Amino acid sequence: MKLLDTLILSLAAGLFIIGVHQTMKFGIMYSYWIIMLSVALLLWYNLRKRSNKEES
């Protein structure tokens, strides 16, 4: 796993935790963008992982 992959995965996990906290405190309307950013980072991580697997 490369450094960028590690950063993407940890940022996605951190944003998800923050999104869940904001959902519990303020509601889904205020934290929707944080959770969607987390999902987008997870999808980007998955895309990078699959493309690295195909190259080797």
Side-chain angles (χ1 to χ4, degrees):
M1 185 181 292
K2 296 184 179 182
L3 178 63
L4 184 59
D5 294 336
T6 305
L7 288 174
I8 292 170
L9 187 60
S10 59
L11 187 60
L15 283 175
F16 183 74
I17 292 169
I18 291 170
V20 168
H21 175 265
Q22 293 296 314
T23 300
M24 292 169 55
K25 189 164 181 151
F26 300 114
I28 192 72
M29 292 298 293
Y30 296 102
S31 64
Y32 182 77
W33 67 274
I34 299 173
I35 294 173
M36 287 300 112
L37 186 58
S38 171
V39 169
L41 286 172
L42 284 174
L43 290 173
W44 186 26
Y45 172 75
N46 192 14
L47 180 68
R48 285 182 53 87
K49 189 170 127 180
R50 286 182 184 218
S51 68
N52 288 339
K53 187 184 281 187
E54 288 176 0
E55 288 177 0
S56 52

